[in-house]
Amino acid sequence: MKTVCNPYLPIDEYIPDAEPHVFGDRVYVFGSHDQEGGYTYCMRDYVTYSAPVTDLTDWRYEGVIYRSDQDPDYPNRKYMYAPDVVQGNDGRFYLYYAMGGDYGYGGYYGPISVAVGDSPAGPYEYLGFVKNPDGSPMQKYVCFDPAVINDDGVIRLYYGTQYSYELEEDFLTNGRLEDEMKMFNRTREEILSYKEDSINGPSMLVLEDDMVTVKEEAKHIIPYDTRGTSFEAHPFFEGASIRKIGSKYYFIYSSWLNHELCYATSDKPDRDFVFGGTIVSNGDIGFHGREAKDRLNMTGTTHGSIECINGKWYVFFHRLTHKSDYSRQSCAEEICIESDGSIRQVEMTSCGLNGGPLPASGSYPAVICCNLTNHRMPHGSNSIFKDNFPNITHLGEDRFIGEIENDTLIGYKYFSFSSVKIISIQAREETPENLVVLDAPLRVDERTDQEGFEQANAPAGDGFGNDSWGIGDADSQATGSDGAAIAGAFDIRLTPDGESVGRIEVPVAEDPMAWISCEGEVTIPDGTHALYLIYKGNKKTQLKTLTFS
């Protein structure tokens, strides 16, 4: 029986900002393309994967569909950001995207570029840019993160970003106006010309059938100033996406909180949107009331959308790896659209598109964990951290969880257990020889959680009570059940604070590059359970695989 995990693409593939679309009998995922362990966003050319709508375990690599050097602005701006694809009224497929440079520099300059192909999987050829009827580049508002829909023959383009600078009372004198001028590459007169409106905010325009010429001028779909509105706690930041369900429009976006995908609904495509809620957070913040300080992963930028596939609705989003915002992997979860049109927030899981729990048999990569925390995980945004905290990373061809320290929780949701007696892992003590150090500059952004950033280098906490295993302090050498030296041990539980159902000891390294097979007997009742590995040890550990028998 085939299974699919989160992330649902190969573990060495990084496609964030996912826009899933069903064309014919297949679902295609379009998105940015990050470099594994890269130093900035979107360093690779666009590729796509597709799967039959009847089998979301069977993803097929469709290859490179469009290269950044096909855009005339290359190499002035080298990277292509979050795209979207729509089928035009002529039956061809149109790809919309924005270009940017390192750390997003130039990504707000516009205009929005367009490429065209005869198949959803391309190849695509450069067509032009979104332009005004006089042929000049359309640059009303900030041309960023385009999303497009063929609304019964009407081609609607959504886009934008939003910063709150203009809401500051001294905006004209505190330097923020100059910040916007530099950020958006606009003159003072251009920015102030919006008067009671703003250059910031989510916008929509209508295109002619040629897919590049503006037919109806852009207008904001949500007011820039959201104070006192339903959007106040979750204002738009970026990542515009649009879906139409029945006669209602769903606007999906990344909020200023930066870790969540939110949605708003309206009976109109260009106005009267009302905030609906959060669909998913890449730290499970807000799920069952979870607070930001208790995030279950490093959090940061997310972007994605929803799609109906073979009668079921799913949300596609991304998680962060490599202690940065620049190596993002696509994940997905099934969602439910209630009879009143609302969408309840879903939790991150390891089983995602599998249609049910993963069978607790055979081996899995450890990196399919959906929760990874030392109880003080940072929030990044356009950031790279060099401080210590558990993270998904790679070294050569090995993908694994590194910097596992005392009290780290590694969670998997969910497995279906049947007569499982032993859980085995491949692990090794972390040493200077196998420690992954990202060769990139340290970066923190204004949306970075600085407190979490500083705490990430603090001594390990005690989130699960006192250590009763005799691991000892950092200067002592722990011993295992047979008296041999160990780096530490994983306590196996079915709930984070539940009773132990087993233990796996990790020997002290002899060869720092060798993965050691370790196992432990477990007592797990048959049925569907979450699985948590909670590490206790005064030496850090790395974890590569998880095997059930």
Side-chain angles (χ1 to χ4, degrees):
M1 180 177 65
K2 290 195 298 184
T3 60
V4 62
C5 309
N6 265 335
Y8 57 89
L9 299 178
I11 61 172
D12 61 348
E13 184 64 278
Y14 294 77
I15 299 182
D17 309 327
E19 280 282 4
H21 289 290
V22 172
F23 294 121
D25 60 359
R26 299 187 70 83
V27 56
Y28 295 80
V29 172
F30 304 96
S32 306
H33 198 189
D34 285 350
Q35 174 68 43
E36 184 174 47
Y39 75 87
T40 190
Y41 297 121
C42 311
M43 296 180 70
R44 304 185 67 189
D45 293 328
Y46 288 148
V47 301
T48 192
Y49 284 77
S50 73
V53 295
T54 55
D55 186 0
L56 298 183
T57 72
D58 186 20
W59 289 91
R60 182 176 77 198
Y61 177 59
E62 301 285 0
V64 175
I65 62 171
Y66 190 67
R67 304 184 318 275
S68 59
D69 64 10
Q70 292 177 253
D71 190 287
D73 200 34
Y74 181 91
N76 180 42
R77 293 181 296 166
K78 296 188 295 185
Y79 309 124
M80 301 180 295
Y81 285 10
D84 199 7
V85 169
V86 70
Q87 188 169 22
N89 294 327
D90 60 359
R92 304 185 79 194
F93 296 87
Y94 294 83
L95 182 150
Y96 293 77
Y97 63 97
M99 299 287 284
D102 285 350
Y103 315 119
Y105 183 79
Y108 294 148
Y109 289 6
I112 293 169
S113 296
V114 189
V116 62
D118 294 323
S119 160
Y124 288 84
E125 296 295 333
Y126 180 77
L127 178 63
F129 51 79
V130 176
K131 60 186 180 181
N132 296 311
D134 65 4
S136 62
M138 191 291 297
Q139 291 200 273
K140 185 175 181 182
Y141 306 124
V142 181
C143 299
F144 187 68
D145 279 357
V148 64
I149 186 173
N150 187 330
D151 184 10
D152 295 325
V154 179
I155 309 300
R156 303 186 187 278
L157 176 67
Y158 296 74
Y159 63 96
T161 193
Q162 181 156 323
Y163 291 79
S164 60
Y165 303 155
E166 294 174 27
L167 300 179
E168 300 173 12
E169 290 185 2
D170 54 350
F171 168 67
L172 295 178
T173 59
N174 66 4
R176 290 303 205 180
L177 174 56
E178 287 72 20
D179 288 342
E180 281 201 358
M181 291 167 57
K182 182 177 179 181
M183 181 184 299
F184 301 146
N185 197 32
R186 306 292 182 92
T187 66
R188 177 187 180 92
E189 290 71 28
E190 283 180 291
I191 291 175
L192 296 181
S193 70
Y194 289 92
K195 297 179 180 176
E196 296 180 2
D197 197 358
S198 169
I199 195 172
N200 291 274
S203 309
M204 189 222 75
L205 59 78
V206 176
L207 291 171
E208 299 281 5
D209 282 350
D210 68 3
M211 308 299 282
V212 294
T213 304
V214 174
K215 182 178 182 178
E216 295 180 16
E217 189 175 2
K219 59 188 295 188
H220 277 160
I221 64 169
I222 296 169
Y224 169 62
D225 187 352
T226 60
R227 291 173 296 185
T229 75
S230 60
F231 294 93
E232 184 170 8
H234 304 266
F236 171 81
F237 171 50
E238 62 183 12
S241 183
I242 190 71
R243 295 294 185 269
K244 189 177 183 181
I245 304 175
S247 61
K248 192 174 292 290
Y249 295 87
Y250 282 69
F251 180 66
I252 298 94
Y253 67 94
S254 175
S255 82
W256 181 255
L257 302 181
N258 209 225
H259 59 76
E260 62 180 5
L261 281 185
C262 298
Y263 76 99
T265 60
S266 176
D267 293 326
K268 305 287 194 305
D270 58 353
R271 62 189 184 278
D272 299 337
F273 279 90
V274 176
F275 178 76
T278 297
I279 305 174
V280 70
S281 159
N282 57 22
D284 276 344
I285 297 169
F287 185 73
H288 289 171
R290 179 172 297 278
E291 296 182 11
K293 65 182 179 63
D294 299 319
R295 59 180 62 90
L296 290 177
N297 297 291
M298 175 191 169
T299 54
T301 169
T302 197
H303 181 167
S305 195
I306 63 176
E307 183 73 347
C308 185
I309 306 171
N310 201 31
K312 294 183 177 180
W313 282 94
Y314 300 87
V315 60
F316 288 69
F317 60 104
H318 60 245
R319 70 173 187 177
L320 280 63
T321 70
H322 291 75
K323 298 200 295 187
S324 85
D325 286 83
Y326 308 133
S327 297
R328 301 161 293 171
Q329 292 185 304
S330 189
C331 298
E333 300 290 349
E334 186 174 344
I335 62 173
C336 179
I337 299 181
E338 306 291 344
S339 58
D340 64 358
S342 63
I343 304 172
R344 287 178 292 180
Q345 183 175 345
V346 293
E347 65 178 338
M348 290 183 66
T349 72
S350 301
C351 43
L353 298 174
N354 198 54
L358 301 168
S361 61
S363 296
Y364 292 91
V367 296
I368 69 166
C369 60
C370 55
N371 300 150
L372 179 60
T373 178
N374 60 1
H375 314 289
R376 55 193 186 282
M377 299 295 280
H379 174 75
S381 179
N382 204 356
S383 307
I384 292 178
F385 294 97
K386 289 190 176 179
D387 291 71
N388 300 318
F389 56 89
N391 64 97
I392 292 163
T393 188
H394 86 289
L395 190 63
E397 295 302 311
D398 289 333
R399 279 85 193 171
F400 55 92
I401 303 170
E403 298 186 41
I404 301 170
E405 60 185 342
N406 185 53
D407 221 26
T408 293
L409 176 146
I410 306 170
Y412 302 86
K413 302 172 186 175
Y414 293 90
F415 285 110
S416 176
F417 290 87
S418 178
S419 302
V420 173
K421 304 299 182 186
I422 294 174
I423 294 179
S424 307
I425 61 174
Q426 282 185 304
R428 65 188 180 194
E429 178 187 347
E430 189 161 84
T431 68
E433 291 82 3
N434 60 34
L435 174 66
V436 178
V437 179
L438 188 61
D439 184 19
L442 170 71
R443 283 185 54 82
V444 291
D445 180 271
E446 68 177 88
R447 282 158 290 137
T448 298
D449 176 4
Q450 190 64 29
E451 179 181 358
F453 171 72
E454 293 168 353
Q455 287 179 345
N457 203 30
D462 192 21
F464 297 103
N466 295 324
D467 171 21
S468 60
W469 292 358
I471 294 296
D473 60 34
D475 296 323
S476 66
Q477 177 61 64
T479 56
S481 55
D482 61 358
I486 61 172
F490 288 100
D491 186 20
I492 304 172
R493 303 183 191 178
L494 304 184
T495 61
D497 55 358
E499 296 294 324
S500 175
V501 297
R503 168 176 167 157
I504 303 174
E505 298 173 351
V506 181
V508 170
E510 294 184 4
D511 177 356
M513 303 309 296
W515 292 99
I516 302 172
S517 294
C518 325
E519 66 179 39
E521 294 183 356
V522 293
T523 303
I524 299 178
D526 291 352
T528 297
H529 306 285
L531 183 71
Y532 295 94
L533 306 182
I534 298 169
Y535 183 69
K536 292 291 184 179
N538 53 39
K539 296 180 182 295
K540 291 183 181 178
T541 296
Q542 299 173 349
L543 181 63
K544 183 180 179 184
T545 63
L546 187 68
T547 302
F548 300 93
S549 57

